[in-house]
Amino acid sequence: MKKIEIHTTLEAYDDMSELDSTVHSLMQQSIAARHKAYAPYSNFTVGCAILLENGEVVTGNNQENAAYPSGLCAERVAIYAAGAQYPGVAIKMMALTASPIDDSLTIPVPPCGACRQAIAEYENKQKSFIPIYFMGASGTVVKSDSLKDLLPLIFDKSYL
């Protein structure tokens, strides 16, 4: 037996003031989307904003349902909406923010596993990386250059 090590490098910004204007604006749009989330069961809101190559921004937020797991995460709401509304247009970057409804969370929250798999599909589909910026309600912002930094052993069509 031998061990395989996987390493990843992420960038961390102390707060949103360190972001360039494009990323800052996208993060602000993800915050606005988070405040519109429908999360009456978990009281945990998530917002996502996606910048497309054509300059359009598509947002999404988590949508819960009493019949678990019928709801959908913000990242998948946004990425599927982008794919449906702008087929063939590449995703340039995405920003997301997550926190309990009291905005108390100050640690970065990455996408869940199901959302990571959905983002991986779009990276493979467009044959280019999607930088992902994520944070809590405030505080540190983390940047991943590609979904592969968050999910290095992705499942893709090569296994089918």
Side-chain angles (χ1 to χ4, degrees):
M1 177 187 84
K2 62 181 173 180
K3 291 185 179 183
I4 299 172
E5 287 189 39
I6 298 173
H7 298 274
T8 190
T9 302
L10 304 173
E11 294 176 12
Y13 302 86
D14 288 335
D15 58 46
M16 285 180 38
S17 68
E18 294 184 14
L19 302 173
D20 73 37
S21 60
T22 300
V23 178
H24 189 274
S25 174
L26 198 64
M27 190 59 76
Q28 286 292 101
Q29 291 177 73
S30 75
I31 292 169
R34 178 170 50 85
H35 289 297
K36 297 175 188 173
Y38 180 68
Y41 306 103
S42 71
N43 290 315
F44 190 80
T45 58
V46 183
C48 181
I50 294 176
L51 176 62
L52 301 175
E53 281 291 337
N54 65 2
E56 295 289 333
V57 174
V58 178
T59 62
N61 46 44
N62 56 316
Q63 298 294 310
E64 294 182 350
N65 191 296
Y68 289 122
S70 297
L72 200 59
C73 299
E75 298 92 313
R76 286 181 285 155
V77 168
I79 206 165
Y80 295 153
Q85 294 173 27
Y86 302 97
V89 179
I91 296 169
K92 190 172 179 180
M93 71 178 73
M94 60 191 312
L96 62 116
T97 174
S99 180
I101 58 172
D102 66 1
D103 289 343
S104 63
L105 192 62
T106 58
I107 57 173
V109 180
C112 74
C115 290
R116 291 179 196 202
Q117 185 61 44
I119 297 165
E121 184 71 21
Y122 277 76
E123 275 195 348
N124 286 329
K125 177 181 170 184
Q126 68 185 37
K127 296 180 176 62
S128 63
F129 298 138
I130 300 171
I132 304 166
Y133 294 82
F134 55 93
M135 64 184 279
S138 61
T140 302
V141 178
V142 172
K143 177 192 178 198
S144 169
D145 288 327
S146 166
L147 191 278
K148 291 180 180 183
D149 293 331
L150 301 176
L151 185 66
L153 301 174
I154 65 169
F155 178 84
D156 63 22
K157 64 183 177 181
S158 68
Y159 296 105
L160 302 177

